[in-house]
Structures are given as structure tokens and as C-alpha cells.
Amino acid sequence: MQRAGEVHNVAQGVAVVRCPDSEHPGIGAPLIDDSLTTVGRVVDVFGPTERPYLAVSPAGSVTPAALVGTVLYYRPD
């Protein structure tokens, strides 16, 4: 598992995650929390290349606002 980043905000129904460095999951990658529960998928990557942001569409019954402050992870290819 690799750290994707921390959820900083919610905008237009998606969680906005700030990556800790230039390594990030690609579009479509599932993101999981520390209990290994899938919380959403990456729908966009934007911002500076050194520390980009990820737009994450929430999975199922996950409320994006409840994810603020949560660290999310992904499984690298």
C-alpha cells in the first residue's frame, strides 16, 4: 500500500486529496482507508506536478464530507 494523500476538502460531490509528493495513483484507481475499505475512485488529477490533487468520487454510501482529514491509500501497479 502506498499513501495517496489526505482529504482536504469536498467540492461538487467529490473529495479533494492532496498528494504528499509527485507519486500518485492514476485515474480510475480505487482508494482505500486505513481499515482497507474502498472509499472511492480517482476521477481526475490536477494542480502542480510536485504535489498534485486528486478528485475522488465516493463509493456507495460513503459521504465525501465524512472523509475530510482522512488519509487514503492505493495499491501501486
Side-chain angles (χ1 to χ4, degrees), residues 2-77:
Q2 190 166 344
R3 183 180 171 137
E6 182 179 338
V7 180
H8 278 270
N9 202 353
V10 174
Q12 299 178 351
V14 297
V16 179
V17 176
R18 183 71 191 259
C19 296
D21 54 30
S22 63
E23 295 294 317
H24 60 81
I27 293 176
L31 296 183
I32 55 179
D33 61 13
D34 57 358
S35 65
L36 303 179
T37 303
T38 300
V39 296
R41 290 194 176 272
V42 178
V43 293
D44 196 11
V45 179
F46 60 96
T49 57
E50 301 84 28
R51 286 190 65 203
Y53 292 91
L54 306 174
V56 178
S57 176
S61 62
V62 174
T63 305
L67 295 174
V68 174
T70 303
V71 176
L72 301 180
Y73 304 87
Y74 68 102
R75 292 185 175 98
D77 295 331

